[in-house]
Amino acid sequence: MEAWVEWFSQRDRSKEIKPANEVAQDSHKYICSRASKLGTKAKTELSTVVFSGENPSSSPPRTENELLERLESMPLKQLSDHVKQELKATEVANSNLNLERSTGLRKAAAKFQDFAQTFDRFLRAYSGIVQVIQGADAQYGNIASATLSLLFVTVKLKAVAEKAIRSSMREVSERLPDLEVYRRIYPDPRLGEMLAEAYRDVILFARKVTVYCQGYGLTRYVYHVRKPEGFASMEKSMREDFSRIRIKCDVLLGEKIDRLAKDNQDLHEREDARIVLGLKQSLGLQEYQPNTIQTNLKEYRSLLRHHFDNDRRHQQMDLNIFTETERGKNWETPGSKLLLLSGRNATRVSSEHSWLSPVAADLAAKLIESRVAVAYQGCDRSSTLELTMSHLIFQLLERNPSLIRGASDFQEITSQLSQRSSGDAKINSLRAALLRIINLHDDPVYIILNRAELSKGSRAEHVETMLALVRDTTAELKVMMVQRSEFWDSHENEKEIHTYGLSPSQFQVVSLDQS
């Protein structure tokens, strides 16, 4: 019951519980009044219901006051269990009657069996409401149990389970959500009030049916003539109310699913960030801040503009100009490829930068702003292939940490990055990790290396490493490398570059010297 307390912040004083409290006020008076009108057989049946949940060693109620006391403290589950036992016993009895071919008895038993099945389904549907309402006060469960117990024994012994009554009970069973729905949604004050209203309406319906069934001959006939649609009217009202409850539950359930999905996503993102931070340490990049790349690119592009774009005496180059060329258009076609864009500055241009670097800077800025999978590295004389690879790995992971959410992906990548090796072995491990990360992408991945010829070590190794990624990837990988031919000319060193397994379209060298 404690699980439902938060539905009613002030327990029995909550305004939402007021409809249920309306029937609680006169419940004792009603129970005593209707119990006193029960015949001997009905009281014996009621005693059986009340005693069914007791310890076998305890004695049944001896007085009417004791019967009422036990009745008004009985949980609804006890009545539900009793009805199930009755239903099971009736099914066995019906089977025996079929064998004996006792038509009259078989019809009577079948009539009660139909009512018992309807009542059982009715209790299961209504118990969900009772469970919630009990969160405000336990008395509401006892009131429901006592009221419905009187209804059950009255109908059972009178054998007057009219079609209208059974129809109303079926409406309750079919339209109310089961208990599990209430358990899945967050407490909602408005729904709590709607359930309290439904609780009240079912109690009033049960009272009305009991009073009707306890009437005799002419009394019941007059009641039926005066209000021929009495039960139908109550059924219609309850049907509309219960439909609203179901709709409200559906809405709240959808809201909870959305909220849980968001909470789950937030949890995953926090865990992803934690994992990526751990990989950052494995890569030895504690001081690396890739979130500054976009700002640095703007500053770098401004510097290039000063050196080249404002120089009207010499040829200019940027991304827009390059993509209008045949080689530029080819770069934008689908498929994995490495474009090596190299060239010399004009003789009279004294800048240390490359006149082709605006292409790399513009492309990187455009892709980063578009939030696609891109990694950019601007190299200088302190750069190494190992450091460049580490930066590329971390950029791609930081941009999309969920890539390695899969356990096997995470284990393989961390295993590759945690290997304590150096030289070629270290480069191979980093390349394998980078390849794995690239392959996890569904959309194209871009890698842009600007001025890799300034790096320490073999310049050809930078190119070959990128070519290996282009050759082995199962995703779509586009690599652009921009460099100055004065420092390393790819044509003069083409024998150092091994292109085995690559098609001509996968490795394109574009030489553009500034005029």
Side-chain angles (χ1 to χ4, degrees):
M1 187 185 303
E2 290 300 319
W4 308 107
V5 171
E6 54 187 310
W7 281 71
F8 307 100
S9 57
Q10 295 181 311
R11 301 294 292 271
D12 198 33
R13 297 188 302 278
S14 301
K15 66 176 183 178
E16 292 82 13
I17 203 64
K18 185 178 179 180
N21 198 30
E22 292 172 7
V23 291
Q25 297 299 321
D26 63 345
S27 175
H28 179 70
K29 180 180 178 180
Y30 167 79
I31 296 297
C32 293
S33 171
R34 289 298 116 190
S36 66
K37 295 183 181 299
L38 294 175
T40 303
K41 287 184 178 181
K43 286 183 178 178
T44 300
E45 178 67 21
L46 184 62
S47 178
T48 302
V49 174
V50 171
F51 183 66
S52 64
E54 298 283 343
N55 189 304
S57 61
S58 62
S59 59
R62 292 183 293 275
T63 66
E64 186 170 322
N65 286 338
E66 187 178 354
L67 175 63
L68 288 173
E69 183 180 341
R70 291 193 184 186
L71 175 64
E72 291 186 287
S73 62
M74 186 181 80
L76 186 61
K77 185 178 184 303
Q78 186 170 323
L79 172 62
S80 180
D81 291 343
H82 176 78
V83 172
K84 284 182 172 61
Q85 291 174 1
E86 288 275 296
L87 184 58
K88 185 176 182 181
T90 303
E91 290 171 349
V92 172
N94 269 350
S95 177
N96 293 334
L97 288 173
N98 285 334
L99 292 175
E100 296 171 8
R101 297 184 179 181
S102 178
T103 305
L105 291 176
R106 188 167 66 246
K107 286 183 177 179
K111 187 176 182 181
F112 171 72
Q113 183 179 358
D114 180 65
F115 172 73
Q117 289 172 338
T118 302
F119 198 84
D120 178 56
R121 289 193 293 268
F122 166 81
L123 283 178
R124 273 184 280 147
Y126 186 54
S127 65
I129 289 180
V130 174
Q131 283 280 2
V132 177
I133 299 302
Q134 284 182 138
D137 194 308
Q139 68 164 329
Y140 296 113
N142 301 137
I143 291 171
S145 179
T147 303
L148 297 178
S149 293
L150 286 172
L151 170 64
F152 179 74
V153 300
T154 299
V155 173
K156 176 182 178 182
L157 294 179
K158 289 286 184 179
V160 289
E162 275 92 343
K163 182 179 180 180
I165 297 173
R166 295 197 306 273
S167 173
S168 298
M169 289 186 174
R170 289 193 183 101
E171 286 295 329
V172 173
S173 307
E174 293 171 0
R175 293 185 180 272
L176 281 177
D178 61 28
L179 179 61
E180 287 305 311
V181 172
Y182 305 127
R183 284 192 174 125
R184 293 191 192 108
I185 60 181
Y186 293 116
D188 180 81
R190 176 58 190 135
L191 180 59
E193 186 175 10
M194 293 169 71
L195 294 179
E197 292 170 351
Y199 172 91
R200 175 200 61 200
D201 292 347
V202 172
I203 293 294
L204 292 176
F205 168 76
R207 289 180 181 182
K208 188 171 185 177
V209 173
T210 302
V211 170
Y212 169 75
C213 291
Q214 284 186 343
Y216 290 92
L218 182 61
T219 303
R220 280 174 50 200
Y221 174 77
V222 171
Y223 181 88
H224 185 71
V225 169
R226 283 181 181 175
K227 301 188 72 175
E229 297 181 358
F231 295 125
S233 176
M234 292 189 77
E235 174 189 324
K236 179 181 178 183
S237 177
M238 287 192 296
R239 182 168 62 244
E240 293 172 351
D241 291 343
F242 297 163
S243 294
R244 284 193 288 269
I245 288 174
R246 181 170 288 278
I247 291 171
K248 183 68 173 177
C249 285
D250 290 343
V251 171
L252 292 174
L253 189 58
E255 290 177 355
K256 182 173 183 180
I257 291 172
D258 290 342
R259 196 181 310 177
L260 288 175
K262 185 180 183 304
D263 291 343
N264 188 53
Q265 181 63 24
D266 291 343
L267 180 63
H268 275 307
E269 288 176 357
R270 288 195 297 272
E271 179 62 14
D272 293 340
R274 185 191 66 79
I275 290 173
V276 172
L277 184 61
L279 292 177
K280 183 179 183 181
Q281 295 174 340
S282 298
L283 290 166
L285 302 177
Q286 288 82 348
E287 304 300 323
Y288 183 51
Q289 299 295 331
N291 58 331
T292 63
I293 290 177
Q294 202 164 8
T295 301
N296 294 341
L297 275 171
K298 289 181 180 179
E299 296 175 355
Y300 179 59
R301 189 62 182 89
S302 179
L303 179 64
L304 293 175
R305 192 173 295 111
H306 173 73
H307 281 269
F308 301 105
D309 294 11
N310 297 333
D311 184 358
R312 301 299 178 181
R313 297 171 300 171
H314 299 93
Q315 186 180 3
Q316 298 175 9
M317 180 62 68
D318 60 19
L319 182 62
N320 290 331
I321 297 173
F322 177 70
T323 52
E324 288 299 319
T325 66
E326 183 180 347
R327 292 300 183 90
K329 292 176 181 177
N330 183 267
W331 154 259
E332 294 182 326
T333 59
S336 296
K337 62 192 66 175
L338 165 60
L339 173 64
L340 181 58
L341 184 57
S342 64
R344 291 175 168 80
N345 290 351
T347 305
R348 294 183 180 181
V349 174
S350 59
S351 174
E352 61 180 340
H353 303 287
S354 171
W355 82 289
L356 297 174
S357 288
V359 178
D362 289 349
L363 178 62
K366 176 184 176 181
L367 294 174
I368 291 172
E369 188 173 351
S370 300
R371 298 185 179 279
V372 300
V374 56
Y376 170 82
Q377 179 66 20
C379 302
D380 55 33
R381 299 191 186 282
S382 65
S383 301
T384 62
L385 179 57
E386 180 180 329
L387 184 62
T388 295
M389 297 278 283
S390 298
H391 285 179
L392 298 177
I393 289 171
F394 187 68
Q395 284 185 50
L396 290 175
L397 287 180
E398 189 188 53
R399 198 169 297 279
N400 188 0
S402 63
L403 283 173
I404 55 173
R405 194 169 288 171
S408 60
D409 299 319
F410 170 71
Q411 291 172 358
E412 181 172 335
I413 291 170
T414 52
S415 174
Q416 290 160 344
L417 296 182
S418 61
Q419 293 181 17
R420 297 185 178 278
S421 55
S422 59
D424 292 344
K426 182 65 174 179
I427 296 299
N428 289 337
S429 297
L430 291 171
R431 184 174 63 238
L434 181 55
L435 179 63
R436 178 78 173 195
I437 293 167
I438 293 168
N439 288 343
L440 292 172
H441 286 80
D442 295 323
D443 297 318
V445 179
Y446 296 84
I447 291 177
I448 304 167
L449 299 185
N450 186 31
R451 306 297 305 281
E453 83 282 359
L454 297 177
S455 303
K456 298 177 183 178
S458 170
R459 277 77 164 182
E461 191 175 11
H462 280 75
V463 179
E464 285 198 324
T465 299
M466 294 299 111
L467 284 174
L469 294 173
V470 169
R471 181 190 62 225
D472 298 336
T473 185
T474 56
E476 182 178 352
L477 172 64
K478 291 180 178 292
V479 182
M480 177 183 284
M481 297 181 67
V482 173
Q483 62 182 36
R484 282 184 64 170
S485 301
E486 300 99 308
F487 300 113
W488 191 78
D489 192 313
S490 58
H491 291 293
E492 293 178 1
N493 297 280
E494 60 182 353
K495 292 183 179 180
E496 297 181 33
I497 302 173
H498 302 286
T499 59
Y500 177 77
L502 292 164
S503 66
S505 63
Q506 289 181 301
F507 180 37
Q508 300 173 12
V509 180
V510 178
S511 297
L512 291 174
D513 294 335
Q514 187 183 25
S515 59

